[in-house]
């Protein structure tokens, strides 16, 4: 994956945040914490992962469009749509 360094940093930070949240969810489950709080935290992990995935796809789309302008590669809309839907 060839991400711009600033975009890469943002994605990596989102993934690290999700890792921390997931570890907290695991501990909460193991400790028998309140079910509602576990679900809320699990939903937060899911959103963090979705945001990271969307950021990666958006960057890829930007790169594909730039490449298509130079006729190096044709933008594969069906492939990008499938990637977006895989996160839905």
């Amino acid at each position: 994956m060839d991400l711009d360094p600033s975009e890469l940093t943002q994605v990596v930070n989102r993934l690290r945040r999700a890792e921390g949240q997931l570890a907290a969810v695991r501990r909460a489950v193991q400790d028998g914490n309140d079910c509602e709080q576990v679900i809320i935290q699990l939903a937060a992990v899911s959103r963090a992962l979705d945001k990271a995935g969307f950021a990666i796809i958006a960057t890829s789309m930007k790169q594909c469009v730039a490449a298509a302008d130079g006729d190096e590669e044709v933008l594969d809309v069906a492939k990008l749509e499938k990637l977006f839907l895989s996160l839905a």
Side-chain angles (χ1 to χ4, degrees):
M1 180 179 330
D2 187 26
L3 293 177
D4 177 88
S6 65
E7 292 168 340
L8 177 64
T9 299
Q10 291 174 0
V11 169
V12 169
N13 286 342
R14 286 180 195 264
L15 292 172
R16 283 189 179 131
R17 193 173 314 120
E19 272 182 316
Q21 289 173 318
L22 186 57
V25 169
R26 182 179 30 81
R27 284 190 304 274
V29 169
Q30 289 172 331
D31 294 344
N33 289 8
D34 179 57
C35 179
E36 183 178 352
Q37 290 303 312
V38 170
I39 298 299
I40 290 170
Q41 288 303 312
L42 196 55
V45 172
S46 179
R47 283 191 303 273
L49 291 174
D50 286 346
K51 286 181 180 182
F54 286 131
I56 291 168
I57 292 170
T59 300
S60 296
M61 188 172 5
K62 185 171 64 174
Q63 290 172 352
C64 287
V65 169
D69 287 343
D71 264 348
E72 294 175 17
E73 182 179 331
V74 176
L75 179 63
D76 188 346
V77 176
K79 184 175 181 180
L80 289 172
E81 182 179 339
K82 183 177 178 181
L83 288 171
F84 272 114
L85 291 174
S86 70
L87 292 173

